[in-house]
Amino acid sequence: MIAPTGFLNAFFALPEGTFTGYANGRRYVVSRSVYGAGRSLKLVAHQLGGPDYISMNLYLTRQSGALLRPCEMPADKVVSFVTALIPDT
């Protein structure tokens, strides 16, 4: 799936590395990693004290643009999570 602009803005506003934050009333520990000179990015989130889990890859390609690849979950779940996520300050 080509990543929506609102998702990309929210994703790139997140800090690199591991941090905690809230999304949809739940608290998460989140890790955002960058690979391949910034062309491949990964986000993994675990709900603290709960079962929810988010995992995705984002590939920045010349031909197709930004490609969102969720890991074994619907893309809508990933987009909703990332756009709702508020990192702790």
Side-chain angles (χ1 to χ4, degrees):
M1 136 178 223
I2 295 177
T5 302
F7 165 84
L8 290 173
N9 291 338
F11 181 84
F12 286 114
L14 297 174
E16 279 185 43
T18 301
F19 61 93
T20 56
Y22 285 90
N24 304 315
R26 299 177 186 161
R27 189 163 166 74
Y28 291 84
V29 62
V30 181
S31 180
R32 185 170 89 82
S33 305
V34 179
Y35 304 98
R39 292 185 303 270
S40 176
L41 304 106
K42 183 169 185 67
L43 183 133
V44 176
H46 296 272
Q47 182 185 355
L48 294 172
D52 200 22
Y53 175 77
I54 307 290
S55 181
M56 53 137 294
N57 292 294
L58 181 66
Y59 301 104
L60 305 180
T61 69
R62 290 185 184 143
Q63 291 180 353
S64 301
L67 300 177
L68 173 61
R69 297 292 187 251
C71 301
E72 300 182 17
M73 64 191 60
D76 290 346
K77 179 178 180 173
V78 172
V79 170
S80 175
F81 173 79
V82 170
T83 57
L85 181 60
I86 301 169
D88 293 338
T89 54

